[in-house]
Amino acid sequence: MMNAPDYPALLAIAVAEARQGLAEGGIPIGAALYHADGRLLGCGHNRRVQDGDPSSHGETDAFRKAGRQRSYRDTIMVTTLAPCWYCSGLIRQFNIGTVVVGESETFRGGIDWLRENGTTVIDLADKDCMEMMQGYIAANPEVWNEDIGE
């Protein structure tokens, strides 16, 4: 029997990515894709501002950097913020088995829909993730609204 992953330790990589994105002048959302055995496959952060690419969300950056996998069922997507509908679609399209969310208080995204469709969602309600995102939104509401399509 496999031990349960240390989700806070997995989240630390995504948080580091979020902080890197913030330091680059971008939106502080980080993500990491792991195999269920704990191997890091890829990590990244929201690069919409830096690259001028509206599709470069944290989850998509991590997914792209992980490269092609034969199956995603035994993978864990870890993200500092609940995934938006776009990223939730990516998670469902490729049947990523588990999503670990740093927090969903600031933004709920598609986590209820993911759960309804069989994805395991673990919400860590991490205070550091909340403070980082809420601080960014307060200082940059127009960029945030653009990111979520409002």
Side-chain angles (χ1 to χ4, degrees):
M1 184 166 129
M2 183 185 268
N3 291 335
D6 180 354
Y7 296 126
L10 301 182
L11 180 62
I13 298 296
V15 169
E17 285 287 334
R19 292 190 193 291
Q20 181 179 340
L22 183 60
E24 293 170 358
I27 301 167
I29 302 171
L33 186 66
Y34 293 89
H35 188 274
D37 66 10
R39 281 181 292 129
L40 178 63
L41 301 172
C43 56
H45 53 274
N46 187 301
R47 303 189 53 77
R48 292 184 74 253
V49 173
Q50 299 92 310
D51 294 350
D53 178 354
S55 70
S56 193
H57 287 208
E59 297 88 342
T60 59
D61 194 35
F63 183 78
R64 289 173 182 147
K65 289 177 178 171
R68 184 175 171 221
Q69 308 294 312
R70 290 188 55 81
S71 171
Y72 295 89
R73 173 56 55 199
D74 292 330
T75 62
I76 302 167
M77 177 66 79
V78 181
T79 181
T80 57
L81 185 66
C84 68
W85 287 106
Y86 169 66
C87 295
S88 293
L90 177 137
I91 290 162
R92 287 290 303 130
Q93 173 70 31
F94 290 95
N95 294 311
I96 292 172
T98 302
V99 177
V100 176
V101 175
E103 67 107 346
S104 65
E105 182 178 308
T106 305
F107 179 73
R108 190 105 184 124
I111 63 173
D112 294 327
W113 178 75
L114 288 170
R115 283 184 176 127
E116 290 166 8
N117 286 281
T119 303
T120 300
V121 178
I122 297 153
D123 189 342
L124 299 178
D126 184 87
K127 298 294 183 205
D128 290 336
C129 289
M130 285 181 214
E131 289 173 8
M132 181 170 38
M133 199 67 231
Q134 291 170 4
Y136 181 83
I137 292 169
N140 303 280
E142 67 290 338
V143 178
W144 169 246
N145 287 333
E146 178 186 318
D147 193 61
I148 60 172
E150 290 189 8

